[in-house]
Amino acid sequence: MRKIKYKEGRKLQPTSLEYTGSHKDHETEMQLFVYDDGDVVEYEKFTVLALNSCFDYTRNNWLNIHGLNDIGLIKTIGQYFKVDDFLLADILNTTKRTKLEEQKDVLFFNIKSLLPSEYSDGLKVEQLSFILKDGILISFQEKRSDFFTHIRERLRTHAGIVRTKKVDYLLYLLLDAVMENFYITIEDEENNIEELIDLTKKGADPVILEKIENHRDNFNFLKRSIVPLRDSLYYLKTIKDDDEANGLIQKETFNFFVRLHQKSLELLEQIESDMSSLESASNFYFSEQSRKMNEIMKTLTIISAIFIPLTFIVGVYGMNFENMPELKTENGYFIVMGTMFLLVIALIIYFKKRRWF
């Protein structure tokens, strides 16, 4: 899992515009959709020079920005749409937790997207941010990805109701698409848990315990990402009947955000259940390790029990007393060896009858 460098992020001033993520090699690109129920216009290679000419404030506008390395461009976008530098800093500082914030006529939302890594047991982390204004939605991604491909197709083909709604409904769709990644990640982790449980039944390899701890870290990171999302969605849920959202979210759209809140609760419940399964795998590992240790100790105990009487006999006849009649017996050696052999056989039969091995 890509670790978030919280110490590095905390060193920044609240209004310091510096990208702290790991996708520093991605070029900043922009894409603009201007749409309504009747038509959609797509600008694939959008530039800041076209801000005045392409935006249509009588329709819905979705500006999607890929890559956060061009600080100057991000700052220009913020100045044009009158977005506070505090929010721009939160967009660029990927160490920030998921949050929802309102400022005058702006609704700001950021969220962590988590997906399974193809090359390790960790997770791929990306922060996405959204700025909602009247008729305008701006989304910020650390790199180009296919999170919203199906939503773009809906806009192009007029599938569903997205073009009949305001941009607040589009925000719901984008958040829902990101939350689907949580389901994909949890499902992948559940498959890994099943494999780990099967491995623990076959042996107590220390590598298994390391894998268990890695996946426990993944679940903890998932939980830390979803809990603030749940709280933010709950806030939206509580202002459904108020005017606190400055009219940026329509009354009929609140129900969709309530669904997202319900999804976040389901995700947290599933994580708790999976962490219990992971704990069971860990307990099974230690139980198997203890069982193997007990088997080893039992074998050593049996061997010790067999050799203790033999050691006693050898010790007795190893004493240097002159008056030991057996020392002068012609077949004394063979008698003692035979007695020792019979004693071993007798002990083995006794242990076998008691089912000690």
Side-chain angles (χ1 to χ4, degrees):
M1 179 176 65
R2 177 172 68 83
K3 294 184 178 180
I4 297 179
K5 298 179 180 179
Y6 290 101
K7 291 183 179 179
E8 178 181 334
R10 286 172 181 165
K11 291 178 181 178
L12 298 177
Q13 295 297 320
T15 58
S16 177
L17 300 184
E18 180 181 340
Y19 175 53
T20 62
S22 62
H23 305 287
K24 298 183 183 295
D25 57 340
H26 291 266
E27 183 181 355
T28 302
E29 299 176 346
M30 294 192 294
Q31 179 186 40
L32 175 66
F33 283 88
V34 180
Y35 67 94
D36 58 16
D37 191 17
D39 189 25
V40 60
V41 180
E42 179 180 355
Y43 302 92
E44 181 63 32
K45 296 294 184 180
F46 185 74
T47 64
V48 292
L49 299 177
L51 283 171
N52 290 321
S53 59
C54 295
F55 269 79
D56 186 348
Y57 295 96
T58 64
R59 306 167 73 188
N60 296 315
N61 302 267
W62 174 28
L63 176 61
N64 190 31
I65 300 174
H66 305 277
L68 303 178
N69 294 302
D70 192 337
I71 306 300
L73 185 147
I74 302 297
K75 192 170 184 178
T76 300
I77 293 293
Q79 291 173 346
Y80 183 85
F81 291 104
K82 298 179 181 179
V83 177
D84 196 285
D85 283 349
F86 285 98
L87 297 184
L88 295 179
D90 286 345
I91 292 170
L92 296 170
N93 189 348
T94 58
T95 65
K96 296 291 186 179
R97 72 197 300 265
T98 296
K99 64 183 288 188
L100 170 70
E101 187 172 337
E102 292 181 82
Q103 288 190 359
K104 297 179 182 178
D105 59 343
V106 174
L107 184 68
F108 173 76
F109 210 119
N110 75 347
I111 185 174
K112 293 287 190 299
S113 172
L114 306 180
L115 281 172
S117 174
E118 300 173 2
Y119 309 106
S120 67
D121 290 332
L123 301 176
K124 294 188 295 185
V125 186
E126 181 182 350
Q127 177 171 286
L128 295 97
S129 303
F130 306 94
I131 291 177
L132 180 66
K133 294 175 67 71
D134 187 21
I136 301 170
L137 177 63
I138 310 173
S139 55
F140 299 84
Q141 299 178 247
E142 291 190 67
K143 61 184 180 64
R144 181 176 288 276
S145 58
D146 57 356
F147 297 159
F148 309 138
T149 301
H150 64 290
I151 298 175
R152 295 188 185 93
E153 286 303 313
R154 287 191 194 181
L155 289 171
R156 292 168 183 143
T157 61
H158 206 332
I161 62 174
V162 58
R163 278 173 46 182
T164 65
K165 297 285 188 179
K166 299 292 186 181
V167 286
D168 56 339
Y169 180 77
L170 178 61
L171 174 61
Y172 153 73
L173 289 179
L174 299 182
L175 291 175
D176 184 60
V178 176
M179 290 184 69
E180 286 299 317
N181 293 339
F182 289 119
Y183 285 101
I184 295 172
T185 304
I186 289 175
E187 183 179 357
D188 183 77
E189 288 296 315
E190 287 174 345
N191 293 335
N192 290 328
I193 290 174
E194 292 179 2
E195 293 178 2
L196 287 173
I197 291 176
D198 291 338
L199 288 174
T200 54
K201 293 178 180 179
K202 297 177 182 178
D205 191 334
V207 175
I208 298 175
L209 184 61
E210 182 180 349
K211 288 180 175 291
I212 289 174
E213 292 304 316
N214 287 339
H215 291 295
R216 181 179 283 111
D217 289 342
N218 289 346
F219 277 118
N220 284 326
F221 192 82
L222 276 164
K223 190 173 180 178
R224 292 200 308 271
S225 300
I226 296 174
V227 166
L229 174 62
R230 176 204 62 188
D231 296 339
S232 298
L233 292 170
Y234 179 77
Y235 172 74
L236 285 179
K237 179 181 176 182
T238 58
I239 63 173
K240 178 179 178 181
D241 299 323
D242 301 328
D243 296 327
E244 297 182 26
N246 298 324
L248 294 174
I249 298 180
Q250 306 297 309
K251 292 286 186 181
E252 61 271 17
T253 311
F254 273 107
N255 291 329
F256 295 105
F257 288 97
V258 171
R259 292 182 186 179
L260 293 183
H261 178 255
Q262 186 63 34
K263 274 190 174 183
S264 67
L265 296 178
E266 293 173 358
L267 287 167
L268 289 173
E269 289 176 0
Q270 189 61 42
I271 288 174
E272 291 295 336
S273 175
D274 291 337
M275 290 188 74
S276 297
S277 299
L278 197 60
E279 189 66 28
S280 298
S282 180
N283 292 337
F284 197 91
Y285 170 86
F286 287 112
S287 297
E288 180 64 17
Q289 197 175 48
S290 298
R291 187 192 66 79
K292 290 184 67 175
M293 182 63 68
N294 289 337
E295 288 292 327
I296 294 172
M297 293 303 298
K298 183 172 68 174
T299 301
L300 294 176
T301 302
I302 290 173
I303 293 174
S304 299
I306 291 173
F307 278 92
I308 284 174
L310 303 183
T311 305
F312 173 75
I313 294 173
V314 171
V316 169
Y317 288 103
M319 293 186 294
N320 296 320
F321 291 108
E322 292 185 1
N323 296 322
M324 293 183 68
E326 295 85 353
L327 294 178
K328 297 180 180 180
T329 303
E330 183 177 354
N331 297 316
Y333 171 77
F334 300 103
I335 293 173
V336 171
M337 291 300 295
T339 302
M340 293 170 66
F341 178 76
L342 292 175
L343 181 60
V344 170
I345 298 298
L347 288 171
I348 291 175
I349 294 173
Y350 176 76
F351 294 153
K352 195 72 173 177
K353 283 186 176 182
R354 296 297 299 268
R355 296 182 179 179
W356 289 356
F357 68 91

